[in-house]
Amino acid sequence: MKLNQWMKAGIGLGFAALWSCPTLAALTADQNFGIEIKGTLQSEDDRDLGTRSGGDVNGLGLDLRPWAYGQWGDWSAYAMGQLVTATDTIQTDTLQESNVTSDSTAKGREQKKNYLAMREFWVGYSGFTPYPGEILKFGRQRLRNDDGEWKDTNIEALNWDFDTTLLRAHAGVAERFSEYRTDLTELSASDKDVLHAYGDVSYQWTPGQWVGLRAHHTHDSGSLPHTGEAIDDSDKSSTGDLTWLGLEADSDAYNHDNLNNINYWGSLTFMSGNRDSIGSNVVNGQTVAGDKSSGHVNGWATDLGLRVHLDPNWQVGGAYSRASRDYEQNGLQSNRSTWTGTRARVARFGEAYQAEMANTQTASLFASWQLRDEYDASLIYHKFWRVDGNQGIGTNTLDAVNTTFDPENPTDVTSISSLPLADGDKDLGQEMDLVVSKYFKQGLLPAALSQSLDEPSALVRLRAGVFKPGSAYGSEVDSYMHRAFIDVIWRF
């Protein structure tokens, strides 16, 4: 039986479970069920930086997320479905991968305007220790850490959480087997056959001051195409085993309720492992696999930030991130967090550009404002550079291309490839972001759902970024690109 048949069966069973809430209520007095309704208006211009026709997105989407949660003694269970309908292929989900596009050449990876999905379905057991913040979960679940730079995704996992006043720890294994969406019937090449093993521990050594260690290992057991074999987006370009070890310290800086006059965060991560990779060539208009290369890779990255309370409502701060030329993130990150000091989870490396920690350095300045639990806003400036001016920068949501035409017939396209950055030029560009939110109180949700739901309350939010490409992109690209969202979230 094919995987997508299992996926369809899982979606059907999941929605059946969600819509049988009276049965759930009969089993336990501690039940919760409901639906989260999210409307998203997206405006996006020049994702391709003007290098080809298209690249614009303008549309309105409706995202319905029915969910059910039940608890029976030490046992619990949770499921959340998803129904999305839209006028264009917009991004209603902030966890959506940047490599999900409407024109992918990978079979089974073309995003549709309308789809059904299962976001989460897991069973939990919390009887190993007497602490209320301890639980073992098995199934598709939300994995998230405070800075979003290691984990923030929905994935199949066996995960153990331990959260107390003085000590926090997490450990588990995870592997993505399906997207559980009716439109994306195949995994991305970067997710296929990749096993993740991870763990972290942090200790509050004095009130409000945390230090921690974290580790992550990925084992990619996939295979690379043979040299000369025709390839597309569904084929892997690299495999290998990579390990990340990190140190972190912060002043509870990701907790918007803390009253510290000065907040800080800092992390230092080392990466090491072995990687096999292939290049690509265009032969007679067809992309084929190039030569295979193997070797040991090492890299490091850091993210530092400082935030100052000017008064109870206003904060200002700065942040700096640097990742070495061979560093890459583990693939489970969103790079979204509450780093500006408000309740809103903001993209660490630009709402429009959405850079990754891969041969990049980013300097950011920001001001944030919040009024009680009703409003908040963040205004952010980013500057981006390459660390090595002759090395690539990984992936982001830009889709600029370089098109080659047949010199004998200028109307025939011989190849389309990603736009190369100018050799030796490090200037990637700069960006201004604005994130503004209005919140509506709707009562308390179960503590066990804090990781599953993106937001703690109903809201209206604007997320907007304007990116100006730097000289590394050359002089043929457009001067600006923008990406803006208006999200409305309500719960019943």
Side-chain angles (χ1 to χ4, degrees):
M1 184 176 290
K2 296 182 180 179
L3 180 61
N4 63 342
Q5 293 177 305
W6 284 107
M7 180 192 72
K8 292 176 181 178
I11 290 174
L13 291 173
F15 276 111
L18 287 168
W19 292 331
S20 63
C21 292
T23 302
L24 176 65
L27 290 174
T28 174
D30 188 19
Q31 93 291 343
N32 292 276
F33 52 86
I35 185 169
E36 178 180 290
I37 300 175
K38 183 177 183 180
T40 298
L41 176 65
Q42 179 177 346
S43 172
E44 182 178 318
D45 183 46
D46 278 350
R47 178 184 298 186
D48 52 37
L49 298 182
T51 57
R52 58 177 171 174
S53 61
D56 301 338
V57 176
N58 292 282
L60 177 66
L62 179 64
D63 188 336
L64 305 179
R65 303 178 184 182
W67 59 272
Y69 170 75
Q71 184 171 354
W72 306 266
D74 293 330
W75 291 92
S76 58
Y78 177 75
M80 173 181 274
Q82 188 173 24
L83 184 155
V84 174
T85 182
T87 61
D88 201 345
T89 51
I90 70 172
Q91 184 183 17
T92 66
D93 191 345
T94 56
L95 296 186
Q96 178 177 303
E97 298 176 63
S98 62
N99 60 359
V100 175
T101 65
S102 58
D103 59 352
S104 173
T105 61
K107 182 180 179 181
R109 294 293 297 173
E110 182 180 356
Q111 182 186 358
K112 305 295 185 181
K113 299 177 184 178
N114 310 306
Y115 63 88
L116 293 173
M118 283 298 294
R119 288 175 63 85
E120 293 190 61
F121 45 90
W122 52 259
V123 174
Y125 178 72
S126 55
F128 291 113
T129 73
Y131 296 97
E134 180 267 328
I135 186 171
L136 179 71
K137 295 179 184 177
F138 176 72
R140 181 172 169 86
Q141 58 192 280
R142 179 73 169 271
L143 301 181
R144 177 195 289 173
N145 68 303
D146 285 342
D147 61 21
E149 294 171 3
W150 285 55
K151 300 189 299 292
D152 188 13
T153 190
N154 294 322
I155 189 172
E156 300 91 315
L158 177 64
N159 179 73
W160 180 71
D161 294 330
F162 183 81
D163 191 347
T164 66
T165 303
L166 297 178
L167 188 67
R168 296 191 297 236
H170 311 85
V173 292
E175 183 172 350
R176 204 180 302 280
F177 296 102
S178 172
E179 298 285 3
Y180 301 95
R181 286 174 49 161
T182 54
D183 56 342
L184 304 181
T185 57
E186 298 291 336
L187 290 175
S188 68
S190 59
D191 278 331
K192 289 179 182 177
D193 305 310
V194 179
L195 176 67
H196 300 262
Y198 56 86
D200 63 79
V201 60
S202 55
Y203 174 66
Q204 186 174 202
W205 61 276
T206 193
Q209 309 296 316
W210 292 84
V211 294
L213 301 171
R214 47 188 179 181
H216 194 109
H217 178 77
T218 59
H219 173 63
D220 190 336
S221 60
S223 58
L224 297 175
H226 298 292
T227 301
E229 182 180 344
I231 59 175
D232 58 23
D233 291 345
S234 62
D235 293 296
K236 283 184 174 290
S237 60
S238 65
T239 60
D241 291 353
L242 296 174
T243 300
W244 292 260
L245 297 174
L247 306 172
E248 59 178 337
D250 67 79
S251 60
D252 206 20
Y254 298 101
N255 176 11
H256 74 279
D257 284 328
N258 85 58
L259 300 178
N260 301 334
N261 290 326
I262 298 178
N263 278 293
Y264 68 90
W265 71 87
S267 65
L268 179 61
T269 304
F270 300 93
M271 182 201 77
S272 181
N274 298 295
R275 181 189 294 135
D276 299 328
S277 59
I278 58 166
S280 62
N281 301 304
V282 177
V283 178
N284 297 325
Q286 186 176 44
T287 303
V288 299
D291 294 331
K292 177 181 176 181
S293 61
S294 302
H296 188 74
V297 292
N298 290 288
W300 66 274
T302 187
D303 187 19
L304 308 170
L306 185 69
R307 194 173 67 241
V308 179
H309 260 110
L310 300 180
D311 62 33
N313 303 116
W314 286 93
Q315 301 179 72
V316 296
Y320 175 77
S321 173
R322 181 184 178 96
S324 67
R325 56 168 288 171
D326 290 324
Y327 185 85
E328 63 183 67
Q329 293 181 270
N330 62 44
L332 301 185
Q333 75 284 344
S334 71
N335 292 326
R336 305 188 72 88
S337 67
T338 54
W339 61 284
T340 62
T342 69
R343 296 170 64 183
R345 301 179 66 248
V346 179
R348 176 64 185 88
F349 307 115
E351 292 288 342
Y353 191 51
Q354 296 185 13
E356 292 183 358
M357 301 176 77
N359 191 38
T360 58
Q361 57 179 333
T362 308
S364 307
L365 296 173
F366 64 89
S368 62
W369 168 83
Q370 54 185 352
L371 181 63
R372 298 182 295 275
D373 287 333
E374 298 180 25
Y375 301 92
D376 63 39
S378 299
L379 181 65
I380 310 155
Y381 169 78
H382 301 280
K383 178 65 178 176
F384 305 99
W385 301 269
R386 277 194 289 180
V387 173
D388 184 331
N390 296 301
Q391 185 82 358
I393 57 171
T395 60
N396 58 29
T397 53
L398 292 187
D399 193 23
V401 299
N402 183 40
T403 305
T404 303
F405 296 90
D406 187 342
E408 297 183 359
N409 189 352
T411 61
D412 289 345
V413 176
T414 58
S415 68
I416 296 178
S417 59
S418 297
L419 180 71
L421 298 173
D423 287 341
D425 199 322
K426 297 183 178 182
D427 181 15
L428 294 173
Q430 53 191 320
E431 176 169 335
M432 287 294 299
D433 290 343
L434 177 64
V435 180
V436 182
S437 306
K438 161 63 178 174
Y439 300 94
F440 304 93
K441 296 181 180 179
Q442 280 199 306
L444 297 177
L445 290 168
L449 305 188
S450 61
Q451 293 287 84
S452 298
L453 299 175
D454 292 337
E455 300 294 341
S457 66
L459 59 86
V460 177
R461 173 173 294 150
L462 166 68
R463 297 181 286 120
V466 178
F467 174 69
K468 179 178 173 59
S471 56
Y473 285 98
S475 59
E476 302 301 319
V477 301
D478 282 356
S479 299
Y480 296 93
M481 67 85 63
H482 82 265
R483 183 178 286 118
F485 299 84
I486 296 178
D487 296 320
V488 179
I489 298 176
W490 201 261
R491 294 198 177 99
F492 294 96

